[in-house]
C-alpha cells in the first residue's frame, strides 16, 4: 500500500524525468496522471501551458485540459480544447465522442435551465435553440458512428438515438434499433 510520501516521491521523480526529457510525450503523460491522482489539477494546467509554449504542436496538453474542464462541467471550454485535437490523432473517435458528450450536456443543461417549472416545456424560441444544440451534438455522434460503427471503442448509439428521438427523426432512430 502506497503512502502519501510514496506518491510525492513518485511525482518528484516524474518531474525530474520530465526535466530531463521534456519532449517525451510518455513522460509528460505519466507526470500529468500522477498529478491528477494527487488532485493537483492546477499543476497539470500549468505544466500544460509550459509544454505548449515549448512544443506548440503537442496534443496532450489539450487532451488533459479538456478532460479536466469536462469533469468540472465547463463543457464549452472543454469543447474548445477537444477542437484542438486533430482527426489524425490515434483513437480520434474517443475525442470526438467526448466532444459530442460535452455538446449533448450543454443541450441538456439548456433544456433544464429554460423549461417551465410547472409544465416542463420550453418556449418556441428556446425549443429552437435546444434543437440547434442537439443538432450540434448530433454531428459529432454521427462522426463516431462513421469511425466506430460497431461501437468497439465508444458507445455512441444510445445518445445518438436519444438525439434523433428528441429531434423527431424517427426513421434515423429506428435504424439504430
Amino acid at each position: 500500500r502506497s503512502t502519501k510520501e510514496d506518491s510525492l516521491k513518485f511525482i518528484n521523480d516524474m518531474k525530474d524525468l520530465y526535466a530531463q526529457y521534456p519532449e517525451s510525450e510518455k513522460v509528460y503523460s505519466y507526470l500529468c496522471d500522477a498529478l491528477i491522482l494527487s488532485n493537483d489539477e492546477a499543476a497539470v494546467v500549468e505544466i500544460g501551458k509550459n509544454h505548449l509554449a515549448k512544443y506548440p504542436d503537442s496534443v496532450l496538453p489539450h487532451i488533459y485540459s479538456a478532460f479536466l474542464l469536462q469533469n468540472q462541467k465547463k463543457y464549452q471550454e472543454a469543447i474548445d480544447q477537444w477542437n484542438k485535437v486533430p482527426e489524425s490523432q490515434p483513437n480520434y473517435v474517443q475525442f470526438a465522442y467526448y466532444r459530442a458528450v460535452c455538446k449533448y450536456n450543454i443541450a441538456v443543461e439548456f433544456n433544464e435551465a429554460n423549461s417551465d417549472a410547472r409544465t416542463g416545456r420550453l418556449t418556441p424560441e428556446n425549443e429552437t435553440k435546444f434543437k440547434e444544440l442537439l443538432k450540434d451534438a448530433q454531428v459529432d455522434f454521427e462522426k463516431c458512428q462513421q469511425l466506430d460503427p460497431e461501437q468497439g471503442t465508444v458507445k455512441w448509439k444510445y445518445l445518438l438515438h436519444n438525439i434523433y428521438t428528441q429531434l423527431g427523426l424517427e426513421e434515423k432512430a429506428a435504424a439504430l434499433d
Side-chain angles (χ1 to χ4, degrees):
R1 183 176 144 120
S2 69
T3 64
K4 184 171 181 141
E5 291 79 24
D6 294 333
S7 297
L8 289 173
K9 180 180 178 341
F10 181 73
I11 289 170
N12 287 328
D13 289 347
M14 286 297 101
K15 286 180 179 178
D16 291 343
L17 200 57
Y18 180 68
Q20 289 178 332
Y21 305 100
E23 73 287 346
S24 171
E25 298 273 301
K26 187 173 276 195
V27 172
Y28 174 84
S29 184
Y30 287 149
L31 175 57
C32 288
D33 289 344
L35 291 167
I36 289 169
L37 288 173
S38 70
N39 294 315
D40 195 354
E41 294 178 358
V44 174
V45 171
E46 188 62 30
I47 288 168
K49 288 178 186 174
N50 294 334
H51 191 81
L52 280 172
K54 292 180 199 168
Y55 308 100
D57 294 333
S58 180
V59 175
L60 280 178
H62 300 298
I63 293 170
Y64 277 100
S65 289
F67 274 124
L68 294 175
L69 291 164
Q70 190 167 342
N71 286 339
Q72 296 167 5
K73 299 184 188 236
K74 296 179 179 177
Y75 299 121
Q76 187 55 56
E77 292 174 63
I79 290 166
D80 294 342
Q81 292 299 309
W82 289 128
N83 286 340
K84 295 176 181 175
V85 178
E87 286 192 37
S88 60
Q89 183 72 19
N91 297 316
Y92 176 76
V93 67
Q94 292 175 335
F95 309 122
Y97 176 77
Y98 296 133
R99 183 177 58 221
V101 169
C102 286
K103 290 178 178 183
Y104 183 78
N105 286 335
I106 287 172
V108 169
E109 286 182 352
F110 178 85
N111 187 26
E112 290 171 353
N114 292 286
S115 293
D116 183 273
R118 191 174 50 79
T119 65
R121 296 209 175 271
L122 292 168
T123 64
E125 180 181 289
N126 283 338
E127 179 75 20
T128 299
K129 174 69 175 167
F130 175 61
K131 287 185 175 183
E132 288 170 5
L133 292 168
L134 286 176
K135 288 175 185 174
D136 192 28
Q138 175 187 343
V139 170
D140 283 337
F141 281 116
E142 287 175 342
K143 181 72 171 179
C144 294
Q145 180 184 27
Q146 173 192 351
L147 294 171
D148 187 19
E150 300 301 317
Q151 299 188 93
T153 304
V154 293
K155 305 297 184 211
W156 49 262
K157 190 184 286 188
Y158 174 79
L159 290 175
L160 183 57
H161 186 279
N162 200 5
I163 288 170
Y164 286 158
T165 301
Q166 290 178 350
L167 293 174
L169 303 170
E170 302 306 327
E171 286 181 24
K172 284 189 168 195
L176 292 177
D177 291 334

